[in-house]
Amino acid sequence: MSDPIVENKPVLYSYWRSSCSWRVRIALNLKEIPYDIKAVSLIKGGGEQHCNEYREVNPMEQVPSLCIDGHTLIESLNIMHYLEETRPQRPLMPQDCFKRAKVREICEMIASGIQPLQNLIVLIYVGEEKKKEWSQHWITRGFRAIEKLLSTTAGKYCVGDEITLADCCLVPQVFNARRFHVDLRPFPIILRIDRELENHPAFRAAHPSSQPDCPPEVAK
């Protein structure tokens, strides 16, 4: 881990390819909240997230963690809801209660039902030979459900025509799907939304290849 950051800006403990970190980076960017990144390598020395220093920040030994307003918050959805509640400008949740519920549905489907099954600790347990097949199975299963839900909620984006927290969660998961060579042709709505957002400045700035800890051979 790098040296401590002492500025008053929020500090995001992040790993460049972590989709959980990525979704929080998107939300911070969309809300135009300046922040510093403190990189936590999930692979260096067996994983910096397991060191005593970081365990004091996040007892779950995972990223992201966000230090903001004199507090330390963990778990990406929790962090994003805190940002929405404390900084309601540039909202990432609809005003309509039903649409808000649909945003939360999509977020939970990704953050609880799909992404955890590709966590590094899970893939290590599954093993090198089976991790691709394992990831493809669970992403495909989850995307099948999300595509069906989006057929009733999507406008330009996941829920209507405004960017929401659901979009913050979807884009990193599409990246993961491509990483594991998932066939995305059965999911045209997911692909359309991903294409719609790929060049948005907040999403581009949050992309793994734009992160300070992205390996030089990967960075664009």
Side-chain angles (χ1 to χ4, degrees):
M1 292 170 61
S2 54
D3 293 334
I5 299 173
V6 297
E7 290 87 346
N8 291 325
K9 282 193 294 184
V11 175
L12 179 67
Y13 291 82
S14 172
Y15 179 63
W16 67 282
R17 202 167 60 184
S18 157
S19 58
C20 298
S21 300
W22 186 351
R23 62 179 74 127
V24 173
R25 295 195 301 259
I26 295 170
L28 287 164
N29 293 345
L30 287 168
K31 286 185 170 289
E32 299 183 10
I33 301 169
Y35 63 99
D36 287 316
I37 283 183
K38 188 168 184 181
V40 180
S41 173
L42 302 187
I43 57 175
K44 182 180 178 182
E48 293 178 338
Q49 73 274 25
H50 301 307
C51 73
N52 291 333
E53 176 190 352
Y54 188 68
R55 194 177 296 115
E56 291 298 315
V57 176
N58 188 329
M60 283 294 288
E61 302 175 27
Q62 296 174 340
V63 290
S65 304
L66 182 67
C67 296
I68 188 170
D69 301 334
H71 309 293
T72 300
L73 302 174
I74 65 173
E75 299 297 334
S76 60
L77 293 189
N78 174 54
I79 291 170
M80 293 194 297
H81 283 297
Y82 178 86
L83 296 176
E84 183 69 8
E85 291 166 3
T86 59
R87 291 153 175 84
Q89 305 83 1
R90 303 178 183 86
L92 296 176
M93 289 289 281
Q95 290 296 312
D96 180 80
C97 289
F98 177 72
K99 289 183 178 179
R100 292 170 76 91
K102 288 299 174 182
V103 170
R104 287 192 293 266
E105 273 185 21
I106 296 168
C107 290
E108 288 289 352
M109 289 166 74
I110 294 170
S112 299
I114 305 176
Q115 183 277 325
L117 294 163
Q118 295 105 62
N119 263 346
L120 182 61
I121 54 174
V122 175
L123 295 182
I124 290 172
Y125 185 82
V126 170
E128 189 67 29
E129 291 185 1
K130 294 184 177 180
K131 71 177 186 180
K132 180 179 177 181
E133 178 187 355
W134 167 275
S135 299
Q136 288 177 341
H137 172 79
W138 293 110
I139 294 172
T140 299
R141 180 180 183 275
F143 271 13
R144 195 177 298 124
I146 289 175
E147 183 78 9
K148 184 174 181 180
L149 179 57
L150 291 176
S151 70
T152 65
T153 66
K156 188 176 182 181
Y157 305 113
C158 284
V159 180
D161 295 326
E162 301 295 330
I163 296 174
T164 67
L165 295 179
D167 302 290
C168 298
C169 291
L170 180 67
V171 169
Q173 189 57 55
V174 174
F175 178 91
N176 274 357
R178 291 193 174 106
R179 179 184 167 205
F180 291 108
H181 306 288
V182 173
D183 181 5
L184 294 174
R185 289 174 296 179
F187 313 117
I189 305 173
I190 290 174
L191 284 175
R192 177 183 60 76
I193 294 169
D194 183 66
R195 285 194 301 268
E196 191 71 45
L197 291 166
E198 65 181 355
N199 290 317
H200 189 291
F203 285 77
R204 286 187 63 84
H207 193 277
S209 64
S210 300
Q211 302 314 301
D213 55 329
C214 177
E217 64 271 19
V218 177
K220 295 177 182 177

